[in-house]
Amino acid sequence: MHFPQTTAVILAAIILDLLLGDPRWFPHPVVGIGRLITFLEPRLRRLIPSERAAGFVLLVMTVGITAGLAFALLRGAYSLNAGVGFVVAVVLAWSCLAARSLHRESRLVADALERGDIGAARRSLSCIVGRDTAALEEPEIWRGVVETVAENSSDGVIAPLLCLMLGGPPLALAYKAVNTLDSMVGYRNERYLQFGWASARFDDLVNWLPARLTGLLMVAAAPLVGLSGTNAWRIMRRDGRNHSSPNSGIPEAAAAGALGVQLGGTNFYFGKPVEKPTIGDPEKPLGLAAYRGVVRLMYGSLFLLVGVWIAMRGIALL
């Protein structure tokens, strides 16, 4: 079934995201997806002896149920009338975007550092990264927040927006389901190494194109927001693979090059150091200017994608 008003739905959703972000009082689909995963995991582990097979079934069921419910809700809403359908489509699309929330949550870290409250900065950073933050000093906190904004420019902004453009809210929510699965069961530890294998690999697959698109958008957007597009391209090509993830290093490298900073290095997880290759060159210090620059880069990439998409839609109508 084709749902009309795609352009209007996406533009309205972007405006709502930029104005409101994710209000804490508003029920978010990702919470429901997380509860579905929590409900299914123990039952599938009991029913299916093979952990990999059980994890694969979890992936198929979670993504299928999420997309199916979104499709059914949209179909029901549009069957009532176009106005109801439009509102439901906008709300579902809005829930998939996270530009304002990424900015807001990362800004809590930056504001705390600006006040000199390193304890508050560490606590705020712990809400948006997986690494240990309790002992981080100011330069490492700045690195963490810049890396998070750069990486999530793909996962939280460009990728779901691309899914909305290609398949509307059902596809975007299916993408969010894959992201949520990876964040909940995609760990390389004893509990999830086998059970979460399918979710982690599928997350890598679905993020392959968005990560590279995000990198290219950052390169193109950099000179528009006062940063270096030439260096973004150079560092993305040189260091884009300097990451344990096949995708996360691409936007991080583009951002590092645009900003003239060095990312990567040693992080601690559950008290154990994990050495990671560095990304970029330390031409400039990591601090408030770098943070503000990566936020501009995130928004610039978003607006550039929207502009290109609108232009392509306009050409298609000629």
Side-chain angles (χ1 to χ4, degrees), residues 49-136:
S50 167
E51 286 195 6
R52 277 204 179 188
F56 177 77
V57 173
L58 175 69
L59 169 64
V60 172
M61 289 185 68
T62 302
V63 174
I65 290 171
T66 300
L69 286 175
F71 184 89
L73 182 59
L74 278 173
R75 184 171 185 174
Y78 273 109
S79 69
L80 294 175
N81 65 65
V84 173
F86 177 77
V87 170
V88 171
V90 168
V91 171
L92 290 179
W94 168 36
S95 72
C96 296
L97 302 174
R100 176 64 184 272
S101 293
L102 178 59
H103 185 185
R104 181 174 57 208
E105 295 301 317
S106 63
R107 187 173 177 178
L108 292 175
V109 181
D111 287 347
L113 287 174
E114 283 298 284
R115 296 194 308 269
D117 190 345
I118 196 166
R122 289 166 175 165
R123 290 190 295 273
S124 294
L125 183 64
S126 71
C127 296
I128 57 175
V129 300
R131 71 195 69 175
D132 298 345
T133 65
L136 293 183

Side-chain angles (χ1 to χ4, degrees), residues 156-310:
V157 182
I158 300 302
L161 181 55
L162 181 63
C163 288
L164 284 171
M165 293 172 175
L166 295 176
L171 183 61
L173 283 164
Y175 172 80
K176 300 300 285 188
V178 175
N179 263 194
T180 307
L181 279 161
D182 183 60
S183 67
M184 291 182 67
V185 305
Y187 296 104
R188 295 179 181 179
N189 56 25
E190 184 177 353
R191 177 178 174 83
Y192 289 118
L193 184 62
Q194 298 301 320
F195 185 80
W197 181 86
S199 293
R201 298 290 76 76
F202 195 63
D203 183 77
D204 289 342
L205 178 64
V206 301
N207 279 297
W208 190 92
L209 177 60
R212 283 147 185 83
L213 175 61
T214 302
L216 291 174
L217 288 168
M218 285 181 168
V219 169
L224 303 178
V225 296
L227 301 173
S228 174
T230 302
N231 206 42
W233 173 251
R234 182 178 69 86
I235 298 299
M236 183 178 71
R237 294 188 64 195
R238 191 191 76 184
D239 295 346
R241 296 182 181 178
N242 289 1
H243 201 285
S244 57
S245 164
N247 301 313
S248 298
I250 302 296
E252 285 192 25
L259 297 166
V261 300
Q262 187 171 83
L263 305 176
T266 304
N267 293 330
F268 284 81
Y269 298 89
F270 306 104
K272 297 181 179 180
V274 176
E275 299 288 341
K276 297 184 178 183
T278 57
I279 296 174
D281 299 319
E283 300 169 5
K284 299 177 182 178
L286 282 161
L288 182 61
Y291 167 70
R292 288 176 173 170
V294 78
V295 170
R296 294 199 309 273
L297 197 58
M298 180 265 290
Y299 282 123
S301 300
L302 166 64
F303 294 138
L304 186 58
L305 177 58
V306 172
V308 170
W309 180 69
I310 290 175

